[in-house]
Amino acid sequence: MRMAVRTLREETAPELACPVSPVVDIVFSRWTTPILWTLHAHGRQRFVELERRITSITPKVLTQRLRRLERDGLVTRTYHPEVPPRVEYEISALGLTLAPLFAHLADWAAGHLPEVERARERYDEAPNR
Amino acid sequence: MRMAVRTLREETAPELACPVSPVVDIVFSRWTTPILWTLHAHGRQRFVELERRITSITPKVLTQRLRRLERDGLVTRTYHPEVPPRVEYEISALGLTLAPLFAHLADWAAGHLPEVERARERYDEAPNR
DNA sequence: CAGTATCCCAGATGATACTG
DNA sequence: CAGTATCATCTGGGATACTG
């Protein structure tokens, strides 16, 4: 069949070469860190509050990300059947286990981001190419 | 002007809500962790070696990612003008500072990935929706 | 060997409008 | 309020072929 090559590619995913890839897929896909960070910084909050704090996200995408985080068990969603409806999002116990990791990330950023910036300038100024 | 709205969205990037976003952009975009991991695990190596170890990547994409990693100062590229040409890639000193972070990631994966898996099963089996 | 050059497409993202 | 529905966009990858 003609999908043989494609199937082969799909089967040999990057995870095979890198044990941290699965975590990356779960925790570091677009918008997930701002969401988790905001939830962690401001505690349990409603949909609109998240929307307001993460200024550039659209409701559609926010919903998608929250659903995924909920499915992965990192966030809990509580629906209060009132009028108007009220929904609250909160980091789960599992999600909280990421906190040290995020702190580690922030530390690295504080210590090494300037160096990355300098490397970029050097690269961009380089005469070759 | 009609790009006003678009510009507004672009200016208010997710970084504003999350100090770790910049790191995510640099270190956790697709293919970068397998590349860094392979480089770290097997030391300095040539283009083809990377290609062979990260089985599902295409040469075009591998080149793109390596260029970006080089620009960010995480990887060094050494060109040997021989026939046939020989190019070697290696993790830089700056790139090595990520090692503890990656170890942390791997630890988290080992400890919590199963729980994520169970959460997914629960979510998918749930009767609602 | 170490890449470029093309062509192409799916899926992610966004703008906008609507609803229980 | 908390989303959903729809439509438009767009670009990151991928397949494939070629070159210094």
Side-chain angles (χ1 to χ4, degrees):
Chain A
M1 356 166 162
R2 69 176 45 195
M3 291 187 64
V5 173
R6 183 176 198 177
T7 304
L8 190 62
R9 284 228 180 270
E10 281 169 357
E11 282 171 353
T12 53
E15 290 84 57
L16 295 180
C18 173
V20 313
S21 286
V23 194
V24 174
D25 287 342
I26 294 168
V27 182
F28 299 107
S29 42
R30 194 158 150 74
W31 293 116
T32 58
T33 60
I35 292 173
L36 289 173
W37 188 274
T38 304
L39 243 20
H40 187 254
H42 301 276
R44 167 187 306 195
Q45 56 202 290
R46 308 174 65 164
F47 189 86
V48 262
E49 300 182 276
L50 283 168
E51 209 177 348
R52 274 194 278 265
R53 288 192 169 109
I54 307 168
T55 47
S56 53
I57 200 168
T58 59
K60 187 185 95 174
V61 175
L62 180 55
T63 303
Q64 289 174 347
R65 299 287 100 179
L66 284 171
R67 289 286 180 281
R68 183 166 173 184
L69 288 168
E70 189 194 357
R71 185 173 106 100
D72 290 344
L74 300 178
V75 160
T76 61
R77 176 183 184 270
T78 313
Y79 176 76
H80 304 272
E82 310 167 351
V83 189
R86 189 161 56 91
V87 176
E88 290 184 312
Y89 292 94
E90 189 176 16
I91 299 213
S92 69
L94 179 56
L96 272 180
T97 64
L98 288 168
L101 203 51
F102 275 46
H104 200 155
L105 259 308
D107 282 353
W108 192 90
H112 300 285
L113 233 44
E115 200 172 341
V116 171
E117 199 46 58
R118 267 181 279 124
R120 285 178 175 172
E121 285 165 15
R122 245 181 290 121
Y123 186 94
D124 292 342
E125 288 174 2
N128 54 318
R129 181 148 320 275
Chain B
M1 347 156 176
R2 67 178 44 192
M3 290 187 66
V5 173
R6 183 174 200 181
T7 305
L8 191 63
R9 285 234 178 264
E10 280 170 358
E11 280 171 355
T12 52
E15 290 84 55
L16 295 179
C18 174
V20 313
S21 285
V23 194
V24 174
D25 287 343
I26 294 167
V27 183
F28 299 109
S29 42
R30 193 160 151 76
W31 292 117
T32 59
T33 60
I35 291 172
L36 288 173
W37 188 274
T38 304
L39 243 20
H40 186 255
H42 301 276
R44 168 186 304 193
Q45 57 201 288
R46 308 174 67 165
F47 190 87
V48 262
E49 299 181 275
L50 283 167
E51 209 177 346
R52 274 195 277 266
R53 288 192 169 109
I54 307 169
T55 47
S56 53
I57 199 167
T58 59
K60 186 186 96 174
V61 175
L62 180 55
T63 303
Q64 288 174 347
R65 299 288 102 178
L66 285 171
R67 288 288 180 280
R68 183 166 172 184
L69 287 168
E70 188 194 359
R71 186 173 106 99
D72 290 343
L74 300 178
V75 160
T76 61
R77 175 181 184 271
T78 313
Y79 177 76
H80 304 273
E82 311 168 350
V83 190
R86 188 162 55 92
V87 175
E88 290 184 311
Y89 292 93
E90 188 176 15
I91 299 213
S92 69
L94 178 57
L96 271 180
T97 64
L98 288 169
L101 203 50
F102 275 45
H104 200 157
L105 259 308
D107 282 353
W108 191 90
H112 301 286
L113 233 43
E115 200 172 342
V116 171
E117 199 46 58
R118 268 181 278 123
R120 286 178 175 173
E121 285 167 14
R122 247 181 289 122
Y123 186 92
D124 292 340
E125 287 174 2
N128 53 321
R129 182 148 317 273

